[in-house]
Structures are given as structure tokens and as C-alpha cells.
Amino acid sequence: MAVTLEVSVGKNHLVMALNGSEVQLPCIFTTCIGFKDLDFTWYYNSTEVIYRGNIKNKASEPTMLYADPRVRLIGTTTGRENNISISIFVDFDDAGKYTCHVKNPKEMNAEHNATIILRVVQEMVPVDNTLTRIIVGTVGGLVGLLILILIIKKIVLLILKKSQEKKKECLVSSSGIDNTENGLAGSKAEQKAPPKA
């Protein structure tokens, strides 16, 4: 039997929070064969339990078995996602690793977990996007220049093609002129015998 339990805390595994604020720590689990009496636990720095819960089945909400007084469950499992995210009021001492651990008895007691790193700061520093803007501007400029060059090349090739077609028309129409009456080389005038005296 293949184990299909997976736990995810999202793409960003680093969360920044202001000292004294409430922060949400995301956790979603997926299982292809469903769950029954599923246990989940949130750990602080891999050892300290800050929240423990149980979910009977997909139709029931999680039941709290233990919770630190500053932690509350904000997720739900009766919707589209099996969300067991928590919310916690943080201070500087709360910085560290937070692990969301899930155990599913329906999958032969399969277990999986995911970890978030929490940093608690005095003030949020604005993100400097200067380098990103420079890179995006340069790449955009190069792409625009490349498109402009391709358009100019296409126009020049089109003009050259039309001028070559006109030259071909001129050559074709001029080769159809009968030069025999004009006295030019190869004309009938040269073929006449000289008059006899």
C-alpha cells in the first residue's frame, strides 16, 4: 500500500513577525485515501508541544486535545482543504522552528511533517526591490529590443523581395521586345544584301 499523506506549510518556510503581534503559521495536509481519527501536533523547536488535536473524519471539525494559552487553531478540515493552521501571539522568545506533524491511522499510521522558521523583529524593514527592478527592466528591454530587431528585419526582407520582383518584371517585359526592326545587332537590317552598283 502506498503512503499518500503529505503536509505542507506553503512555499515560504520563513515567516517574519513583529514583536507583540499575532502571526499565522500555515499548515495543510493532503491524503488521497482519506483519514479517520487523524492526529496532528504543532511543535516549537522540535520538542515543545504547543497544540495537539484530533480529527474524526472529513465531516468533522478538529478537536483540541491540548493548546498553549497563546495558540489557537484557525484552520478547518470540512472545506476544500485540510487546513490545520494556527495563530500565535509572539514575542522575541518565540523565534525558532515550528513543526506541523500529522499522523493518519487510515494509512497504516503514516506520518509526515513540515517546518516553518519564525523570526520575531522589532520593526519590519521594507524590502529593497531595486535589484529585482533592474533585472526585470534589463530583461524587458532586451526582449523589446529583440522584437524590434525582428520586426525591422521582416520589413527590410519584405522591401527587398518586392524590389526583386519588380526587377524580374522589367527583365521579363524587356526581353519580349523585337529588336529586328531597330537596326540592332542581330536585326534584319544586317541580313540585307548590299545594293549592286
Side-chain angles (χ1 to χ4, degrees):
M1 177 179 193
V3 177
T4 59
L5 179 66
E6 184 176 340
V7 178
S8 173
V9 291
K11 293 181 180 178
N12 190 2
H13 294 267
L14 176 64
V15 175
M16 304 283 279
L18 282 172
N19 183 35
S21 68
E22 183 178 20
V23 65
Q24 295 179 2
L25 302 178
C27 183
I28 294 172
F29 71 90
T30 57
T31 175
C32 292
I33 63 171
F35 59 90
K36 185 176 181 181
D37 290 324
L38 180 133
D39 291 317
F40 66 96
T41 307
W42 275 91
Y43 294 97
Y44 170 65
N45 284 335
S46 301
T47 56
E48 183 183 338
V49 175
I50 59 170
Y51 193 96
R52 177 171 282 139
N54 178 276
I55 309 167
K56 294 294 178 199
N57 55 45
K58 182 70 177 164
S60 64
E61 287 292 337
T63 304
M64 179 188 69
L65 303 176
Y66 168 79
D68 181 284
R70 298 176 303 137
V71 178
R72 66 185 175 93
L73 183 71
I74 57 172
T76 180
T77 56
T78 57
R80 195 182 68 150
E81 295 180 323
N82 297 314
N83 185 341
I84 51 175
S85 302
I86 59 171
S87 177
I88 182 172
F89 286 94
V90 296
D91 58 32
F92 290 117
D93 294 335
D94 295 315
K97 292 187 334 183
Y98 288 81
T99 303
C100 177
H101 180 266
V102 177
K103 180 179 179 183
N104 187 6
K106 190 171 182 178
E107 289 185 77
M108 298 172 22
N109 286 321
E111 297 182 44
H112 197 250
N113 63 55
T115 301
I116 297 176
I117 306 294
L118 175 66
R119 289 201 182 136
V120 181
V121 296
Q122 182 65 37
E123 63 182 70
M124 293 298 228
V125 178
V127 177
D128 183 14
N129 291 329
T130 305
L131 182 60
T132 304
R133 290 179 182 168
I134 290 171
I135 292 170
V136 168
T138 303
V139 170
L142 289 174
V143 168
L145 182 63
L146 181 63
I147 291 171
L148 181 64
I149 290 171
L150 291 174
I151 290 172
I152 291 172
K153 178 185 171 190
K154 190 74 170 178
I155 290 171
V156 167
L157 289 174
L158 185 66
I159 291 170
L160 288 174
K161 184 178 177 182
K162 288 195 180 231
S163 68
Q164 286 177 349
E165 287 176 2
K166 285 183 180 180
K167 286 181 183 177
K168 284 182 181 178
E169 284 179 14
C170 289
L171 289 175
V172 169
S173 62
S174 67
S175 65
I177 297 175
D178 186 12
N179 289 328
T180 57
E181 300 299 323
N182 299 333
L184 299 174
S187 68
K188 293 180 182 175
E190 287 181 1
Q191 294 174 2
K192 289 182 182 175
K196 294 182 182 177

